[in-house]
Amino acid sequence: MTIQLITCPHDTGRSRPIDQSQIHRFISAMPKAELHLHIEGTLEPEMMMTLAQRNGVTLPYASAEAIRAAYRFGSLQEFLDLYYTGMSVLRTRSDFFDLAFAYLEKVVTQNVTHVEIFFDPQGHTERGVAFDTVLSGLTDALDKARRDFGITSRLIMCFLRHLPEEQAFDTLHHACRCKEHISAVGLDSAEQGHPPSKFARVYAAARKEGFLPVAHAGEEGPPAYVCEAIDILHVRRIDHGNRALEDPELVARIVRERIPLTVCPLSNRALQTCPDLARHPLKRMLAAGLLVTVNSDGPSYFGGYVNENFAAVQEALSLSVDDIATLGRNSFCASFLSDVDKSAALAGFEAFQAKW
């Protein structure tokens, strides 16, 4: 399956002065796509406790409040330690359905109309949970959300980069049986010391099977990791990509080739890659002409879903309503919707903006 990015117009008009309450209403009402969302990262503490009780799992926390109190991360690895602990409560098809549908119920109230969701099968199969159990629960939820809410979706199966590439091949073998449900492959988990080139062979195999390639790069890893993701993995999108800005030639190339970046401000703050949102690179990314989008990453752990990410970074960087509209439009431009569906989504976006 090959999908061409539709070139999206840039708003060249002057930024309109607008009060803060009005721009927050614009953010809330704006149709948008979310392209960087780990479904396991939507596991709210209350659901974690409920599923632990349902499945007889003993957690190192006595209450949802105790779980929330642990959300103080000094690094990506500190977060991942808690993230994998949370995963341990997910055991059955119903668990994965409940997890995904709770997220979809939430974001429909935030006017998200399309989602592209990461899932980490290796984080479950290594615990003895079958690949098909994970996938069937997620697809049940996506199907119901489309029927009930009209939300369209794609699934992106991630390889865990701290595990050997041979294990990624095992996971790819499962995905090849389920191409009708999985659109793309991604690369996540601890970035430092695990360059994209480690997964060159499995990505080549995935591309040959028709999966679209994306990868996390440049979150904690250096700009060279972004270059590897582009040159070796041949990615269609860079997830995060913040540190690409350290290399002006790389930035110029990403702009020239229209490679989207899926940026996650509250995640960057929580994981200390950008502790002060007033210093976040998003505004510089926009000024450079990068096709950048705003997403929530793991909203349960990082303090907000997509609208909260928009609002937080808007306030920190004094983004205008035109900046916000560009980011909303970009979310559809950077999506893996078909050309027909992408054109329809963009037409709907322009109609919304015109009425506003």
Side-chain angles (χ1 to χ4, degrees):
M1 168 174 152
T2 58
I3 299 173
Q4 298 297 318
L5 282 178
I6 293 176
T7 301
C8 296
H10 291 284
D11 191 335
T12 56
R14 292 182 179 179
S15 296
R16 299 184 293 275
I18 191 167
D19 65 67
Q20 205 65 38
S21 62
Q22 188 175 2
I23 201 166
H24 281 189
R25 289 195 297 274
F26 182 86
I27 289 169
S28 296
M30 180 179 70
K32 57 188 74 73
E34 179 154 38
L35 309 179
H36 187 147
L37 183 284
H38 298 267
I39 198 62
E40 294 90 350
T42 69
L43 183 60
E44 294 287 351
E46 291 78 10
M47 181 176 284
M48 192 186 300
M49 295 298 297
T50 297
L51 295 184
Q53 184 176 21
R54 185 158 92 187
N55 293 322
V57 176
T58 301
L59 293 171
Y61 307 102
S63 64
E65 292 72 21
I67 296 171
R68 280 201 175 85
Y71 291 178
R72 301 289 184 272
F73 310 116
S75 68
L76 175 59
Q77 188 57 56
E78 288 183 15
F79 155 68
L80 289 171
D81 292 340
L82 179 56
Y83 179 70
Y84 292 128
T85 296
M87 272 194 195
S88 68
V89 306
L90 297 164
R91 298 290 181 88
T92 69
R93 181 173 181 164
S94 294
D95 297 340
F96 290 97
F97 173 88
D98 290 347
L99 174 71
F101 198 71
Y103 161 74
L104 294 159
E105 283 186 307
K106 173 70 175 180
V107 296
V108 73
T109 69
Q110 298 199 343
N111 286 303
V112 173
T113 62
H114 177 71
V115 294
E116 297 186 0
I117 294 175
F118 296 120
F119 73 110
D120 288 329
Q122 289 169 285
H124 308 297
T125 56
E126 67 179 3
R127 300 184 290 109
V129 179
F131 184 97
D132 290 349
T133 296
V134 179
L135 185 61
S136 61
L138 298 180
T139 56
D140 285 351
L142 296 177
D143 290 345
K144 181 173 172 57
R146 180 159 194 155
R147 292 193 306 269
D148 291 1
F149 311 136
I151 293 180
T152 57
S153 58
R154 299 284 188 275
L155 275 176
I156 303 173
M157 184 191 75
C158 286
F159 304 121
L160 297 182
R161 65 200 309 157
H162 67 278
L163 297 176
E165 188 183 37
E166 289 71 22
Q167 292 186 28
F169 271 106
D170 293 339
T171 303
L172 178 61
H173 174 74
H174 285 295
C176 287
R177 298 184 292 103
C178 310
K179 290 181 182 180
E180 70 273 25
H181 299 302
I182 301 171
S183 299
V185 296
L187 186 65
D188 63 8
S189 189
E191 187 179 9
Q192 292 282 23
H194 302 287
S197 54
K198 175 181 173 182
F199 294 89
R201 294 183 305 119
V202 76
Y203 263 75
R207 294 194 309 272
K208 187 175 180 180
E209 291 289 345
F211 295 105
L212 298 168
V214 303
H216 286 50
E219 179 184 14
E220 288 190 326
Y225 281 19
V226 178
C227 292
E228 284 195 4
I230 296 169
D231 292 329
I232 298 174
L233 305 188
H234 301 284
V235 296
R236 298 284 296 275
R237 277 200 311 249
I238 294 289
D239 299 309
H240 294 295
N242 297 26
R243 293 193 61 190
L245 269 69
E246 298 171 19
D247 184 339
E249 290 186 6
L250 176 59
V251 171
R253 179 187 179 187
I254 295 171
V255 171
R256 184 172 63 251
E257 297 182 13
R258 297 286 287 168
I259 302 170
L261 305 181
T262 62
V263 172
C264 307
L266 292 181
S267 168
N268 296 156
R269 183 173 69 183
L271 299 182
Q272 304 298 304
T273 59
C274 185
D276 180 3
L277 285 187
R279 302 171 73 90
H280 196 277
L282 180 64
K283 196 165 190 175
R284 288 183 284 134
M285 290 174 169
L286 285 169
L290 288 161
L291 183 60
V292 60
T293 67
V294 169
N295 311 271
S296 67
D297 199 357
S300 171
Y301 295 93
F302 301 142
Y305 289 76
V306 67
N307 281 3
E308 288 78 21
N309 274 268
F310 268 101
V313 78
Q314 185 279 322
E315 291 182 13
L317 299 177
S318 299
L319 298 179
S320 69
V321 69
D322 290 330
D323 293 329
I324 296 299
T326 295
L327 292 165
R329 187 181 298 108
N330 285 354
S331 71
F332 294 111
C333 293
S335 74
F336 291 142
L337 285 164
S338 70
D339 286 351
V340 170
D341 290 341
K342 188 179 293 188
S343 294
L346 287 167
F349 185 91
E350 300 304 336
F352 159 79
Q353 191 175 12
K355 288 180 181 178
W356 187 269

